[in-house]
Every structure is written in C-alpha cells, then in structure tokens.
Amino acid sequence: DGGITQSPKYLFRKEGQNVTLSCEQNLNHDAMYWYRQDPGQGLRLIYYSQIVNDFQKGDIAEGYSVSREKKESFPLTVTSAQKNPTAFYLCASSIIGDLPYQPQHFGDGTRLSIL
Amino acid sequence: DAKTTQPNSMESNEEEPVHLPCNHSTISGTDYIHWYRQLPSQGPEYVIHGLTSNVNNRMASLAIAEDRKSSTLILHRATLRDAAVYYCILRDSSGGSNYKLTFGKGTLLTVNP
C-alpha cells in the first residue's frame, strides 16, 4: 500500500544535539510538508517543498532545516538552535502543493523529547 | 486566512448520526472547506472537502449553508473508531498560501458505546 513512513516513532535529544527525522513517501507526490503539533494545539507549518531541490520556509522555520534531494524523501533536522523542540512532528505530502482542493496525506508522526 | 470556529468537544452514542458544526462567517468566494480528523497519536486524515454544493463520500457527508458562512460534517452512524479530533479548514484558491493547511484546535468527538 502507498503511504508516508516517518521514523523513528519516538526520539530523544540531548541538549545541544542536532537530530534528523525521516520522512519517506511512495505516493509519487510532488509536494511534501513538515508540521509541528504541541499538546492540545493544531498543526503549524515548518517547511514545505513543491519540487526536488527546492523548499520554502513555513510559519515556524527557525531552528529547523530540511533537504529535498529525492522526490520521495524530505528529512527534517531539528538543530540545537531550536530551544523548545519537544513536540509531535508530522510529515505530509500531496499531488501538487498549490491546488486548494488536493488533500494532504499524513504520516503517523515522530514524537521528540528532550533528555 | 479566513478563520473557523468549532465547538471544543461533542459526544455521541455509537450507531447514531453525528453533526459536527463549523462557522466560517468571513469565508471568501474562493475558499474551499476541508475537513480532516486526527485519531489519538496518529497523523491527521483527510475526510472530505467542498466549495458550494453538499458532498458525500464513503466516510461522511458535508452540508454547506447556502450563504457558505457555516458547514456541517455528518457522520451517518458513529462507531468507536470515529472518536477523534475533527478539524474544519478553509483553503484559499485565489493564490498565495493555499499550499498549507491552517489547523485550529478542532472538535474532540467522544463516541459512547
């Protein structure tokens, strides 16, 4: 079955450490997204990419970085500059990013905690 | 972005219909109405979307008011698996930031056996 795979499911980070969250999709979607969700809150957009080798900042990009070297992969790095990284991170993809009727498909998330 | 207003929580009994309301009084003519749901510890799942007319799919129905200032997601027979947070989202089709989904806090639906 096609879908989005996020790994790991749980991740722990030490102070001052960078960590990378994996997101892979086999839906042949052009657009991919990273969202952050804090407890009891909605999702906020971190970064998005509509094509390979191109990506744009979302609403809360500070302290995060991404790459898009392959269509199916969009890893997110949480850097030490992100002072409050504890959250639930969700990756999504869609056929084309700028069509308002295309749904986004989400992975099951990575829960990041600080040790 | 146009905003939506949803009740914080609702309860339903299993096998009964559920009507989840959403107010969007500032909706523009180019905004699509989307609904997603999020089960505990999972990513959101697309449910349905519409522009002006009522819509049906295998998961739910979407009833849109004639003036488009409100909409209702209808689950025809709630099951325990429908217990989730339901999000009503507007997506602008006129250009700009329609690539992103702006999630509010949604409605937490509890289904009683």
Side-chain angles (χ1 to χ4, degrees):
Chain A
D1 285 342
I4 297 179
T5 302
Q6 290 188 242
S7 63
K9 194 170 179 66
Y10 299 95
L11 187 58
F12 299 92
R13 193 189 90 170
K14 294 180 180 178
E15 295 285 348
Q17 187 180 48
N18 293 352
V19 291
T20 297
L21 283 60
S22 170
C23 178
E24 303 278 332
Q25 56 101 355
N26 60 4
L27 298 167
N28 199 32
H29 286 170
D30 290 302
M32 296 186 74
Y33 314 81
W34 274 104
Y35 291 88
R36 168 182 170 139
Q37 186 174 33
D38 292 287
Q41 305 297 314
L43 282 67
R44 293 182 290 168
L45 183 67
I46 304 173
Y47 268 98
Y48 71 101
S49 167
Q50 299 204 57
I51 195 169
V52 173
N53 292 323
D54 185 54
F55 47 84
Q56 307 296 328
K57 292 182 179 180
D59 299 321
I60 55 165
E62 186 174 348
Y64 300 98
S65 66
V66 293
S67 63
R68 186 89 187 274
E69 297 176 2
K70 300 185 296 182
K71 185 176 183 177
E72 58 271 22
S73 178
F74 191 41
L76 173 74
T77 297
V78 184
T79 74
S80 57
Q82 172 49 243
K83 296 307 178 188
N84 185 24
T86 297
F88 190 42
Y89 290 88
L90 289 153
C91 179
S93 70
S94 67
I95 292 175
I96 298 175
D98 58 356
L99 292 179
Y101 47 82
Q102 290 290 352
Q104 291 184 12
H105 301 258
F106 286 82
D108 280 339
T110 292
R111 199 168 295 278
L112 176 62
S113 301
I114 299 301
L115 288 176
Chain B
D1 290 337
K3 292 184 66 174
T4 63
T5 303
Q6 299 178 253
N8 290 333
S9 63
M10 292 184 65
E11 272 193 53
S12 174
N13 296 320
E14 202 173 7
E15 298 190 4
E16 290 184 356
V18 182
H19 292 238
L20 295 161
C22 180
N23 287 321
H24 28 77
S25 58
T26 59
I27 191 171
S28 74
T30 54
D31 286 336
Y32 280 79
I33 302 162
H34 285 246
W35 284 82
Y36 283 73
R37 71 180 186 181
Q38 187 175 20
L39 279 65
S41 298
Q42 293 187 25
E45 173 187 29
Y46 165 79
V47 177
I48 200 166
H49 77 272
L51 184 60
T52 56
S53 303
N54 295 345
V55 184
N56 300 296
N57 66 20
R58 63 175 180 82
M59 291 181 69
S61 296
L62 176 60
I64 302 173
E66 196 168 331
D67 63 5
R68 301 211 324 128
K69 295 184 184 298
S70 66
S71 61
T72 302
L73 180 71
I74 302 167
L75 307 179
H76 295 286
R77 289 185 66 195
T79 70
L80 296 178
R81 292 173 58 186
D82 291 321
V85 177
Y86 286 79
Y87 298 99
C88 170
I89 298 167
L90 301 182
R91 296 187 75 185
D92 182 12
S93 65
S94 64
S97 61
N98 55 34
Y99 52 85
K100 70 175 180 179
L101 297 174
T102 301
F103 287 78
K105 294 185 179 181
T107 296
L108 174 62
L109 175 66
T110 302
V111 180
N112 300 313

